[in-house]
């Protein structure tokens, strides 16, 4: 896992960019074989955990609690990416965005079953994993700021 591409991505980081059915199995195998690669940062100062949460947010899909559990370490939870975001910040932004009317429209038009929407339980499970790994005070403060934008219902 010490080999990287031009952007400093390890095999684990690259696997976290994908949303394919085998993704969880591949990531699990890579974490088991190269556990230290969970803390490796690419040229954007992103750990594999950052990448998974950012990809979930970008593609308007819920993060995988299984993958978050696999990718989380105390170091990864407290690493800031080039924008200054920790994984907790990214999770808060993703949760806030996923519950908006715009996100509901995306889910309505992109899924075969129109009743399908974001599962807040996935965000709660991911949140518990991140909080169990001692995020910094600054990270928790930013997360709470992001929750202020959470739609009221």
């Amino acid at each position: 896992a010490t080999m990287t591409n031009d952007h400093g991505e390890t095999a684990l980081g690259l696997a976290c960019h994908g949303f394919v059915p085998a993704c969880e199995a591949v990531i699990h195998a890579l974490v088991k074989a190269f556990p230290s690669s969970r803390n490796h940062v690419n040229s954007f100062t992103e750990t594999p955990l950052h990448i998974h949460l950012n990809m979930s947010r970008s593609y308007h899909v819920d993060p995988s609690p299984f993958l978050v559990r696999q990718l989380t370490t105390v170091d990864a939870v407290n690493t800031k990416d080039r924008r200054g975001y920790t994984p907790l910040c990214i999770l808060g932004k993703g949760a806030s965005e996923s519950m908006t009317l715009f996100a509901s429209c995306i889910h309505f038009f992109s899924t075969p079953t129109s009743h399908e929407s974001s599962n807040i339980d996935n965000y709660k499970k991911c949140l518990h994993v991140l909080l169990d790994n001692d995020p910094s005070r600054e990270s928790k403060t930013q997360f709470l700021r992001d929750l202020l934008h959470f739609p009221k219902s």
Side-chain angles (χ1 to χ4, degrees), residues 5 52 86 91 113 140:
N5 67 8
H52 171 66
T86 63
L91 183 69
T113 54
K140 289 187 267 190

Side-chain angles (χ1 to χ4, degrees), residues 15-94:
C16 289
H17 281 283
F19 284 99
V20 294
C23 188
E24 286 188 352
V26 169
I27 289 173
H28 177 71
L30 288 169
V31 166
K32 190 172 180 178
F34 308 103
S36 65
S37 65
R38 296 178 296 168
N39 295 323
H40 181 84
V41 293
N42 63 17
S43 59
F44 303 109
T45 325
E46 298 169 321
T47 65
L49 179 59
H50 285 84
I51 295 167
H52 171 66
L53 294 172
N54 279 322
M55 295 304 290
S56 298
R57 188 173 165 210
S58 296
Y59 287 103
H60 305 284
V61 297
D62 296 339
S64 163
F66 173 81
L67 291 181
V68 169
R69 204 169 18 264
Q70 293 288 307
L71 299 170
T72 298
T73 66
V74 172
D75 290 339
V77 164
N78 289 299
T79 299
K80 292 182 181 180
D81 66 13
R82 71 179 187 276
R83 298 169 299 177
Y85 295 161
T86 63
L88 191 56
C89 297
I90 298 166
L91 183 69
K93 290 177 185 310

Side-chain angles (χ1 to χ4, degrees), residues 89-127:
C89 297
I90 298 166
L91 183 69
K93 290 177 185 310
S96 180
E97 293 165 359
S98 75
M99 303 300 152
T100 65
L101 178 62
F102 177 68
S104 297
C105 290
I106 289 172
H107 283 292
F108 178 81
F109 289 109
S110 66
T111 59
T113 54
S114 60
H115 66 278
E116 195 173 307
S117 63
S118 289
N119 183 349
I120 194 68
D121 287 338
N122 282 342
Y123 287 94
K124 288 178 185 176
K125 289 174 186 172
C126 293
L127 175 61

